[in-house]
Amino acid sequence: RKQLLKGIDVNFEVITKPEIDELVSENIYAQDIAMFLAEHKAKSYNEFLNPLTIVITADTIVWFNNKVLNKPLNKDEAIRMLTELSGNMHIVYTGVCLTTLNRYKTFFSETKVWFRNLSEAEIIYYIEKSEQCVYSQSDQKNFRFAVALSRAQKNKIDKNKHGEHCENKERSNRV
């Protein structure tokens, strides 16, 4: 996210806060979870708001089989997750909240990701050799599955002034 802001030549400061409670109601659907968490994070930065600031917060979740797939806590859980995702499609939702003193705007991006079929040996090799694997939910790095992708389709979803969802699709094969 820092790279994106650097790319548009805007002065900004990254302020991190200790762990923010990410518990959500079981009645919230996938994209709404990501937006709820982005808004929830934004509220914890209210002390930094002044007339010249914009606070940008975001949260990303993986949605598979109608549930959130959290970061793996250990090697066995990573193997189980990659085995589940092998040959299947999952959705990555990123909720973003832009906050000023007077208002906030929340939206989300949806990326459909298709994994190719992976053998058990490929999964184990990937987990053991990948420097990107992270087994801690408190670690801010992402668990990367790029080796397993077959294609991805990205949709930016926004709510218009009437609360209706608007959709822009981008698609890339062979990510």
Side-chain angles (χ1 to χ4, degrees):
R1 294 175 183 136
K2 277 179 19 179
Q3 296 290 52
L4 292 172
L5 291 173
K6 284 180 182 178
I8 61 171
D9 198 28
V10 172
N11 292 328
F12 66 93
E13 178 183 359
V14 176
I15 302 171
T16 57
K17 295 194 77 153
E19 283 293 314
I20 296 170
D21 178 22
E22 294 190 355
L23 292 176
V24 295
S25 166
E26 292 181 14
N27 300 329
I28 300 178
Y29 189 71
Q31 66 270 16
D32 294 328
I33 294 170
M35 290 192 302
F36 170 84
L37 291 171
E39 286 179 19
H40 181 62
K41 288 178 181 181
K43 290 174 187 170
S44 72
Y45 288 90
N46 282 343
E47 67 195 80
F48 298 102
L49 289 173
N50 67 56
L52 300 176
T53 61
I54 297 174
V55 172
I56 303 171
T57 54
D59 198 86
T60 299
I61 65 161
V62 174
W63 190 255
F64 180 67
N65 284 341
N66 293 314
K67 67 179 190 252
V68 174
L69 207 57
N70 292 312
K71 291 177 186 170
L73 298 174
N74 55 49
K75 182 179 176 180
D76 290 339
E77 194 169 308
I79 291 169
R80 183 190 55 74
M81 284 180 169
L82 284 173
T83 301
E84 275 188 76
L85 293 171
S86 176
N88 289 303
M89 186 273 294
H90 64 277
I91 303 172
V92 177
Y93 291 106
T94 298
V96 178
C97 186
L98 307 173
T99 308
T100 67
L101 271 177
N102 301 322
R103 63 186 195 175
Y104 69 93
K105 170 82 171 159
T106 304
F107 59 93
F108 71 95
S109 173
E110 172 189 282
T111 303
K112 292 180 180 176
V113 180
W114 286 263
F115 268 28
R116 64 179 176 81
N117 286 318
L118 300 171
S119 70
E120 183 178 347
E122 286 175 310
I123 291 170
I124 292 170
Y125 177 84
Y126 176 73
I127 290 170
E128 289 178 351
K129 299 297 180 186
S130 176
E131 294 178 4
Q132 301 292 327
C133 289
V134 177
Y135 302 121
S136 169
Q137 288 182 330
S138 63
D139 195 319
Q140 295 301 307
K141 295 178 184 175
N142 291 322
F143 189 84
R144 304 208 187 267
F145 300 117
V147 74
L149 293 179
S150 66
R151 65 185 171 121
Q153 176 182 323
K154 182 172 185 145
N155 302 323
K156 180 185 175 279
I157 315 289
D158 198 358
K159 287 186 179 175
N160 65 21
K161 64 184 178 182
H162 306 292
E164 301 161 335
H165 290 269
C166 305
E167 187 171 329
N168 298 311
K169 291 187 179 182
E170 298 172 22
R171 184 172 183 164
S172 62
N173 290 321
R174 292 305 209 190
V175 176

